[in-house]
Amino acid sequence: MTRAVPPLPARDGVAASRLWLPAGDWPDLASFLAARFPHLDAGVWVRRFANGEVLDELGQPLRADTPYRAGRCLHYYREVPLERVVPFSETVLYRDARLLVVDKPHFLATIPSGKHLHQTLLMRLRKSLDLPQLTPIHRLDRETAGVMLFCVDPASRGAYQTLFAERRVAKTYEAIVHHRARLSLPRVHRSRLVERDDSFVMHEVDGEPNSETRVELIATTGDTARLRLMPLTGKKHQLRAHLAALGVPIVNDRWYPRLLPDGPDDYDRPLKLLARSIAFTDPFSGEACRFESGRSL
């Protein structure tokens, strides 16, 4: 049975990653970590050991030549070399003892993932507001801007997440899309969305629908249209996939209807998708809450 090991304190807003050592015959810790993370240059672990950044369960630094012992617990703090600064700022819309509501900019990831760590909304807020236990209640794509909810008090997070699970949160988005005059609006689009086998993007397949979005027309300008989107469900990339399937993909979308080659962000061409507002009844106060983004497309 795995022993209970208390978490180590965060460093610069980053929680320590925890790794239980599996059965194996590696001679030392450095050999195991090089095999466990083959995508990292071997020099990364040499430097981390030298700087005392690989720790035991008590937070004590370990040596690279420490003999390997299955079942022990290692801690290390994740890092992203040469992380690019996102030159846009978030705005706090509301804060109390339980809830934090933020207006997220385009290009900023919600949580650490891949090549994004400190330049994520969660890490920025933990540091700038001195809230080391802050956690997101839901998520937005990195490319999407707008209203996001975070929980200040970990014990309260479940109650807010239940609102989303039970579809008691009204979310409204706006998008600018490549217009198709023959598309009849308003409409409700339902489909079954699954991830493709060959990539991380979603596509529609036959079967029982697992996603639903109401689409309304706000205005048209030339060959583009501004739409209001009200998703009932929250599948990955739902709005982007639904609009692409309807033949009206979002302007500047590099993933839908087709995945373009990866490249650096073009800050002059943000995805034209905004989480405009979010509304719900607070599970603790019973008050009706509505928060709206101050951003525009």
Side-chain angles (χ1 to χ4, degrees):
M1 179 181 294
T2 300
R3 291 175 294 128
V5 175
L8 297 185
R11 288 184 180 177
D12 199 20
V14 180
S17 296
R18 179 183 298 181
L19 181 61
W20 290 95
L21 303 187
D25 58 357
W26 293 276
D28 51 44
L29 294 181
S31 300
F32 164 73
L33 290 170
R36 175 67 175 76
F37 300 99
H39 59 286
L40 292 180
D41 185 273
V44 170
W45 291 111
V46 171
R47 175 175 52 77
R48 287 185 178 182
F49 276 111
N51 293 338
E53 296 173 350
V54 182
L55 312 170
D56 66 14
E57 58 195 49
L58 299 178
Q60 298 301 307
L62 293 165
R63 292 167 49 95
D65 60 358
T66 300
Y68 185 85
R69 189 175 78 243
R72 78 181 306 174
C73 182
L74 300 187
H75 293 90
Y76 62 92
Y77 291 89
R78 185 170 174 265
E79 59 182 34
V80 177
L82 304 176
E83 186 176 6
R84 187 180 184 187
V85 175
V86 177
F88 305 108
S89 300
E90 63 280 2
T91 302
V92 174
L93 301 176
Y94 175 82
R95 178 181 175 181
D96 64 22
R98 296 186 178 94
L99 191 65
L100 178 71
V101 186
V102 181
D103 203 351
K104 185 182 93 66
H106 290 102
F107 300 105
L108 188 65
T110 298
I111 62 172
S113 178
K115 58 185 178 181
H116 308 286
L117 177 59
H118 294 285
Q119 290 300 303
T120 61
L121 185 56
L122 179 62
M123 292 297 102
R124 283 187 179 185
L125 293 170
R126 281 181 173 177
K127 289 184 282 186
S128 66
L129 301 178
D130 191 23
L131 293 172
Q133 293 186 303
L134 188 71
T135 53
I137 297 172
H138 65 118
R139 298 184 188 180
L140 291 178
D141 292 345
R142 187 176 72 89
E143 297 81 3
T144 305
V147 181
M148 266 212 67
L149 305 183
F150 290 83
C151 198
V152 177
D153 172 28
S156 304
R157 186 172 183 238
Y160 288 107
Q161 287 189 313
T162 297
L163 296 179
F164 285 86
E166 296 180 351
R167 299 179 182 176
R168 291 189 282 145
V169 177
K171 297 174 288 183
T172 302
Y173 291 72
E174 290 181 13
I176 296 178
V177 303
H178 298 284
H179 184 46
R180 183 164 66 88
R182 292 192 299 275
L183 181 64
S184 176
L185 296 174
R187 68 190 298 144
V188 174
H189 185 74
R190 300 181 182 90
S191 69
R192 184 166 190 81
L193 288 175
V194 299
E195 191 171 279
R196 289 187 178 275
D197 293 333
D198 58 350
S199 69
F200 52 83
V201 300
M202 306 292 282
H203 69 142
E204 295 187 340
V205 298
D206 294 335
E208 182 71 20
N210 61 3
S211 59
E212 178 178 325
T213 305
R214 179 173 175 82
V215 184
E216 299 177 352
L217 177 65
I218 299 175
T220 58
T221 305
D223 60 354
T224 64
R226 182 182 297 270
L227 304 180
R228 181 181 296 109
L229 311 170
M230 287 161 282
L232 178 64
T233 54
K235 299 297 289 185
K236 172 185 170 183
H237 298 174
Q238 176 175 317
L239 301 180
R240 300 166 73 171
H242 275 182
L243 293 177
L246 289 171
V248 288
I250 301 173
V251 172
N252 298 334
D253 196 337
R254 295 183 55 83
W255 295 358
Y256 298 88
R258 63 188 182 90
L259 182 63
L260 299 179
D262 190 24
D265 291 329
D266 184 347
Y267 294 142
D268 294 325
R269 295 175 57 83
L271 178 72
K272 296 296 185 176
L273 179 62
L274 175 68
R276 169 59 67 194
S277 67
I278 194 165
F280 56 92
T281 298
D282 188 273
F284 296 96
S285 69
E287 295 180 0
C289 301
R290 186 179 186 278
F291 303 100
E292 182 165 345
S293 172
R295 303 180 189 275
S296 66
L297 293 175

